[in-house]
Amino acid sequence: MEAVDARGPYDDENIFAKILRGEIPSTKVYEDEWSYAFEDINPQAPTHVLVIPKGKYRSWVDFTESASAEEIAGFIRAVGAVARELGLEDDGYRLLVNAGKNAHQMVPHLHVHVFAGRPLGPMLAGGANG
């Protein structure tokens, strides 16, 4: 799979749009009116969940410029609810959002990765911890 450009029109045929429509199965972790969370099919940590807004947003910039205040608040709360419901607060977790080719975004639908279950190391290869 190739990294994608997070700009331009929304692609209704992306895999997350198909998951939201029920065309592709997923293992649901959480769902509410604004968001859907499911297990990543290629986990990079013992816990690897993707949280996606139900609206058609390509990136964080697109989402924050186009979504309603209710959608934004609901989505951010959903990310917190996933971490809480999975019991990740005690040992820690990492949130990651990729946007565009240089960030290695693979699906042109905004998504937050929730990683946990082992030490995750530095933020970026060769970078400092933070």
Side-chain angles (χ1 to χ4, degrees):
M1 188 180 276
E2 188 174 309
V4 298
D5 190 341
R7 299 170 298 165
Y10 183 82
D11 174 12
D12 279 313
E13 294 304 310
N14 78 70
I15 191 169
F16 294 167
K18 290 178 180 183
I19 287 171
L20 286 170
R21 291 193 302 265
E23 296 171 10
I24 295 176
S26 63
T27 303
K28 180 170 72 169
V29 172
Y30 176 87
E31 184 174 16
D32 64 21
E33 115 181 64
W34 308 112
S35 308
Y36 182 72
F38 55 98
E39 293 179 3
D40 193 294
I41 62 169
N42 184 26
Q44 303 299 303
T47 298
H48 186 174
V49 173
L50 300 172
V51 186
I52 61 175
K54 289 185 174 179
K56 298 178 178 185
Y57 303 105
R58 300 173 315 278
S59 68
W60 197 263
V61 169
D62 179 31
F63 181 63
T64 57
E65 288 180 347
S66 304
S68 70
E70 286 180 314
E71 286 177 287
I72 294 168
F75 181 67
I76 291 171
R77 285 189 179 109
V79 173
V82 166
R84 185 175 44 259
E85 287 188 15
L86 293 175
L88 305 179
E89 291 182 280
D90 289 342
D91 290 330
Y93 58 95
R94 177 172 291 163
L95 304 177
L96 174 71
V97 177
N98 297 317
K101 291 179 183 179
N102 282 346
H104 204 65
Q105 182 179 2
M106 303 306 287
V107 179
H109 185 110
L110 172 63
H111 53 289
V112 173
H113 295 261
V114 180
F115 299 107
R118 68 170 169 78
L120 298 169
M123 290 195 319
L124 297 173
N129 283 321

